[in-house]
Amino acid sequence: MSERTRSSDGRPGAAQRERAEEAVDAATRVVPGADLVGQFDPGSFGPAVVGMGQRLAASPWETSAALWRYATGVTQATTAALLRAAGQDVEGPAGTPPKDKRFADPTWESNPWYWSLRQQHLLLERLVGDLVGVADLERGRREKAEFLLRQLVDAAAPTNTLWGNPAALKRAYETGGQSLVKGARTFVEDLATHGGQPRQTVPGQFTVGEDLAATPGKVVFRNELMELIQYSPQTDQVREIPLLFSPPWINKYYMMDLAPGRSLVEWAVQHELTVFAISYRNPDESMRGVSFDDYLISGPRQAIDVIQDITGAEAVNVIGLCLGGTLTMATLAYLASTGDRRVRTGTLLNTLVDFSEPGALGVFTDRSTVERLERRMERTGFLAGNDMRATFDLLRSNDLIWNYVVNNWLMGQDPPPFDLLAWNDDSTRMPAGMHSFYLRSCYLDNELVRGQMELAGQRIDLGAVTEDLYFVAAEQDHIAPWRSVYRGALAPKGDVRFVLSNSGHIAGVVNPPNPKSKHWVLESGEVPPDPDEWRARATEHRASWWEDWTPWISERSGELREPPPTGSARYPAQEDAPGKYVHDR
């Protein structure tokens, strides 16, 4: 075998890799019905799986070694289980299991048979990792193959079956089988009414406007895209500069105004700020042509006009979350390009500006997948809310899918009330035109941070953004990885305060002061080029980032004054918050 064909470490060489890639591409072109198959593979996982198979076939010795290691481990696990049954304390071939709440029941440790089941599941996880390593795919296909195989391994966990779940068996015994009856009934209902997916919430547990989105206020403006809510003051005096919440429109706006006591909107109102929030309409087919430009012009920019008319303020502070934060940064750059400096500061929460490392979502935002998605949206005029929710659920399938398979179907229990999941279940659609632009310009071409994005006739340059900025990222965020958020914070030229919160994408934002709250910040205010250098030097604070942000935003919100009126002659107050659009289905 020539040196060019196989490298020194035994892995396929450059020529062999090229031939494998060509074979995969040819296979996907010539297989009859490939277009039809594509309809059942919207994530474009097929080429990655075929490519992995090609690579494994081209490396028979390494593949055999991985399979032999797995088979040997299974034999050792079986032997160890027999020894444990005889009273010996023997460690398994997979080592000490990592902490995993799926296996929290003590039976997994005390019962040799269940102990062996868990060991074999860990060995299966190891085998998948070994095979992916042997295949040595290029990055994009490797990530897809890893993601798909992880989904299959998670689905194959013994805890997802009745006989493989000791806790479910115990509950069946304790309830005289009633848990199984209720679980079966729930399964049939979910199959008939919920697309075969287990419910994360019980319908009716939370009411929007009462339990969620309950901060008092009035709708003061409405156009075809959004409603603007002005919240009632809760202090005798307020700061001069009002605050505008710019939410994402992937879900309803009230993630920023969740339950009382857990609402960032409520917190801001209670800390002497005049607060406004955008609530976007849930798009339908008639909005297929709505663009990202429209969201900028008819969203934040229109809202700023209304807010200034009502309050008389010379400037506005803006706080944006996720996609709403990306739009906020684009709005700042757009306004700067036109010489408009009416925004004093920007707060960006779990916001990607630099999309070069998009994290887990990169699996669904490669060019092939985007093209397939565009073909689907062309037929409907939008991306369905269920599709968005399913994508995000898959990113954390053990927590958001299999956890509820066990709880609802095997244990026969209702999911516990949780405001965040009630919000997550209230999904929205995405207009085809806007979503295509967003995926291509941001995820595929990374135009925003490169200064190549054009919105409403203006070339966007983040270097022109000189306003003070407050960036928040979450250490466990799988949608906007904190290091990627950090790199985006390096692009604008204003003074930046970067804060790292605990928890994940949503819980890292819905983070009211509590004993578990903590955040990290570099007290010197520096933002070094390397995020890991920042992390090593940052100081941990046992407090919510809300408590760090409050004095920062207050210092930049002017002097205290009497609260402004609700609405104005031009923009009179209409119905109570949360308005009409939030109820769109």
Side-chain angles (χ1 to χ4, degrees), residues 59-73 126-127 130-131 134:
S59 305
W61 293 110
E62 293 87 345
T63 302
S64 298
L67 294 172
W68 177 254
R69 185 186 184 209
Y70 171 71
T72 302
R126 188 179 72 182
L127 171 65
D130 289 346
L131 292 177
V134 169

Side-chain angles (χ1 to χ4, degrees), residues 318-319 328 332 343-348 467-471 552:
V318 182
I319 178 170
T328 296
L332 291 174
V343 175
R344 177 168 290 189
T345 71
T347 299
L348 292 306
E467 290 81 7
D468 289 355
L469 300 172
Y470 188 101
F471 275 82
W552 183 91

Side-chain angles (χ1 to χ4, degrees), residues 64-308:
S64 298
L67 294 172
W68 177 254
R69 185 186 184 209
Y70 171 71
T72 302
V74 170
T75 301
Q76 292 172 339
T78 302
T79 302
L82 292 173
L83 292 174
R84 289 172 74 93
Q88 297 188 39
D89 186 11
V90 182
E91 185 173 329
T96 302
K99 187 176 180 180
D100 188 333
K101 64 183 181 182
R102 293 177 298 175
F103 301 94
D105 190 286
T107 304
W108 288 105
E109 185 64 26
S110 62
N111 184 290
W113 188 75
Y114 280 109
W115 178 89
S116 175
L117 269 185
R118 185 176 186 185
Q119 284 285 311
Q120 293 183 43
H121 184 68
L122 291 171
L123 291 171
L124 180 61
E125 290 180 337
R126 188 179 72 182
L127 171 65
V128 167
D130 289 346
L131 292 177
V132 171
V134 169
D136 194 26
L137 299 164
E138 57 88 16
R139 178 179 172 181
R141 287 186 173 177
R142 178 189 178 97
E143 290 176 348
K144 282 184 175 288
E146 284 180 327
F147 181 87
L148 180 60
L149 292 172
R150 186 172 69 249
Q151 298 299 319
L152 296 175
V153 170
D154 288 345
T159 50
N160 297 332
T161 66
L162 179 61
W163 297 112
N165 192 315
L169 288 174
K170 289 177 186 177
R171 180 165 172 78
Y173 176 78
E174 292 166 354
T175 63
Q178 289 303 306
S179 63
L180 300 181
V181 174
K182 182 178 179 181
R185 186 186 307 120
T186 301
F187 167 74
V188 172
E189 290 175 356
D190 289 342
L191 193 64
T193 65
H194 204 244
Q197 294 294 310
R199 293 186 184 274
Q200 299 168 355
T201 62
V202 175
Q205 284 180 326
F206 295 93
T207 301
V208 174
E210 297 179 12
D211 307 302
L212 307 170
T215 304
K218 292 283 189 180
V219 173
V220 292
F221 176 79
R222 179 185 295 113
N223 60 25
E224 290 299 312
L225 188 63
M226 65 89 172
E227 290 176 330
L228 183 65
I229 298 169
Q230 180 181 358
Y231 291 96
S232 304
Q234 297 185 26
T235 56
D236 293 335
Q237 291 186 306
V238 297
R239 298 286 172 179
E240 293 176 313
I241 306 300
L243 176 67
L244 170 64
F245 277 78
S246 173
W249 52 97
I250 291 175
N251 284 84
K252 301 291 178 66
Y253 86 95
Y254 61 86
M255 200 284 283
M256 307 179 90
D257 182 25
L258 209 59
R262 287 165 51 78
S263 164
L264 184 55
V265 165
E266 178 188 58
W267 174 271
V269 172
Q270 292 174 347
H271 286 79
E272 301 178 325
L273 296 175
T274 296
V275 177
F276 294 79
I278 292 172
S279 172
Y280 287 106
R281 178 182 169 190
N282 193 1
D284 56 21
E285 196 278 336
S286 68
M287 295 176 64
R288 67 166 56 238
V290 171
S291 66
F292 202 87
D293 306 49
D294 294 322
Y295 274 87
L296 189 157
I297 299 300
S298 298
R301 199 187 75 168
Q302 176 69 70
I304 292 170
D305 293 339
V306 176
I307 292 170
Q308 286 190 303

Side-chain angles (χ1 to χ4, degrees), residues 10 60 111 120 135 239 259 366-367 385 392 394 453 473 506 532 546 558:
N111 184 290
Q120 293 183 43
R239 298 286 172 179
D366 60 292
R367 196 167 299 278
F392 290 126
L394 285 173
M453 181 179 286
I506 301 304
D532 291 308
W546 291 15

Side-chain angles (χ1 to χ4, degrees), residues 316-339:
V316 174
N317 292 319
V318 182
I319 178 170
L321 167 65
C322 189
L323 175 55
T326 304
L327 180 63
T328 296
M329 183 60 77
T331 300
L332 291 174
Y334 170 82
L335 293 176
S337 71
T338 62

Side-chain angles (χ1 to χ4, degrees), residues 492-506:
K493 301 305 180 185
D495 181 66
V496 171
R497 183 171 181 83
F498 186 86
V499 177
L500 182 63
S501 173
N502 61 331
S503 200
H505 187 69
I506 301 304

Side-chain angles (χ1 to χ4, degrees), residues 1 15 62 195-196 229 239 400 403 428 487 553:
M1 185 174 291
E62 293 87 345
I229 298 169
R239 298 286 172 179
L400 298 177
N403 174 49
T428 59
R487 294 186 185 97
I553 193 67

